[in-house]
């Protein structure tokens, strides 16, 4: 079985500030990890994914995440927040052995103030 | 590719009525998933199909919910009779094959309101 925990249902930053969204996972076998973004009234869009290659993964819109096995973490970061980054972000996990389904965290709403 | 297409985008219905949500997956994707999103429970997997065959429907909340996939390009999620607590956003997603650990592509969702 696998699960993810996202710390903080809401994160507020100022425009230009560092964005850090936290995700910890639990998995019985090595996982693949994903971050999705959901803009208001839209579906989920894939930001980036970790699939056991490089531990530092770069995604769209300047986001990146680092897989840290020792900490069972996959935190999402962006050096400088833009107003357009305001959205809900979901961390998700799937077993790399296949034959499993994507399990999502509860989501973190990112608020960006001018 | 047009992506995963869901219809309708919004549905408002009265309690007790039948509701049918529709989904067209990405061509070539063998697996299709139905999720429900609510404030209280987040994203829940309801049911998924592989090669048009239901694999696991343990997430379907009650017998009032049913899903079908008559062919590779179409799936429906039906609620009969609908209740106010069914109000949520329902997402359809597809992937190449659930035997592979790939991410999913999501549709824009159907916002269901039962009054």
């Amino acid at each position: 079985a696998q699960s993810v925990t996202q710390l903080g249902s809401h994160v507020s930053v100022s425009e230009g500030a560092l964005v850090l969204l936290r995700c910890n996972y639990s998995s019985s076998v090595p996982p693949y990890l994903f971050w999705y973004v959901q803009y208001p009234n839209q579906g989920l869009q894939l930001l980036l994914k970790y699939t056991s290659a490089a531990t530092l993964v770069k995604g769209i819109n300047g986001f990146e995440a680092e897989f840290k096995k020792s900490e069972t973490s996959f935190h999402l970061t962006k050096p400088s927040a833009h107003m357009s980054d305001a959205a809900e972000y979901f961390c998700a996990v799937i077993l790399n052995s296949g034959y499993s389904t994507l399990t999502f965290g509860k989501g973190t709403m990112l608020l960006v103030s001018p | 590719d047009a992506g995963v297409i869901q219809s309708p985008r919004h549905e408002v219905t009265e309690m007790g009525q039948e509701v049918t949500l529709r989904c067209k997956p990405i061509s070539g994707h063998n697996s299709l998933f139905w999720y429900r999103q609510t404030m209280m429970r987040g994203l829940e997997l309801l049911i998924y199909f592989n090669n048009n065959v239901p694999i696991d429907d343990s997430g379907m909340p009650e017998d009032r919910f049913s899903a079908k996939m008559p062919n590779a390009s179409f799936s429906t999620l039906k609620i009969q009779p609908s209740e106010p607590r069914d109000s949520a956003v329902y997402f359809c997603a597809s992937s190449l094959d659930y035997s592979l650990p790939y991410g999913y592509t999501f549709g824009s969702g159907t916002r269901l309101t039962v009054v």
Side-chain angles (χ1 to χ4, degrees):
Chain A
Q2 70 272 21
S3 66
V4 289
T5 302
Q6 292 185 241
L7 300 177
S9 59
H10 290 79
V11 169
S12 295
V13 300
S14 299
E15 193 171 21
L18 171 72
V19 176
L20 171 61
L21 305 182
R22 300 179 186 273
C23 172
N24 287 90
Y25 69 90
S26 173
S27 175
S28 55
V29 299
Y32 284 1
L33 294 156
F34 304 79
W35 276 99
Y36 282 83
V37 60
Q38 184 180 28
Y39 298 101
N41 300 315
Q42 294 187 27
L44 282 76
Q45 178 184 359
L46 181 65
L47 265 182
L48 50 79
K49 60 184 177 182
Y50 165 76
T51 57
S52 74
T55 56
L56 182 62
V57 181
K58 294 186 184 297
I60 62 172
N61 301 338
F63 284 92
E64 63 181 38
E66 185 171 10
F67 174 73
K68 292 187 176 180
K69 184 178 179 180
S70 61
E71 299 177 6
T72 61
S73 69
F74 189 57
H75 301 332
L76 182 70
T77 61
K78 182 174 180 177
S80 176
H82 295 163
M83 296 295 290
S84 60
D85 294 327
E88 190 158 22
Y89 292 79
F90 292 90
C91 183
V93 62
I94 197 168
L95 300 180
N96 77 359
S97 56
Y99 295 101
S100 74
T101 57
L102 207 54
T103 301
F104 286 87
K106 294 291 189 184
T108 298
M109 182 68 73
L110 176 65
L111 307 170
V112 183
S113 57
Chain B
D1 197 324
V4 176
I5 300 173
Q6 291 187 247
S7 64
R9 287 296 309 274
H10 303 273
E11 178 79 44
V12 180
T13 191
E14 291 185 348
M15 183 174 62
Q17 296 297 306
E18 176 181 302
V19 176
T20 299
L21 312 181
R22 297 171 175 80
C23 176
K24 176 179 169 56
I26 290 175
S27 177
H29 280 192
N30 293 328
S31 298
L32 182 140
F33 308 83
W34 282 101
Y35 281 83
R36 179 172 68 175
Q37 185 179 37
T38 61
M39 290 289 291
M40 292 297 294
R41 301 174 68 90
L43 280 157
E44 303 174 277
L45 178 62
L46 301 178
I47 185 172
Y48 62 100
F49 297 82
N50 198 58
N51 293 322
N52 314 333
V53 175
I55 303 299
D56 187 345
D57 66 354
S58 60
M60 297 284 260
E62 299 174 35
D63 291 345
R64 298 184 296 105
F65 286 69
S66 63
K68 294 181 179 179
M69 191 164 186
N71 57 62
S73 59
F74 184 65
S75 177
T76 59
L77 178 67
K78 184 179 294 186
I79 308 172
Q80 180 185 22
S82 58
E83 297 182 3
R85 59 191 167 129
D86 302 330
S87 297
V89 181
Y90 291 81
F91 287 104
C92 176
S94 69
S95 75
L96 280 170
D97 198 289
Y98 92 106
S99 67
L100 303 170
Y102 293 159
Y104 304 162
T105 302
F106 282 79
S108 298
T110 295
R111 182 175 297 275
L112 174 65
T113 304
V114 183
V115 299

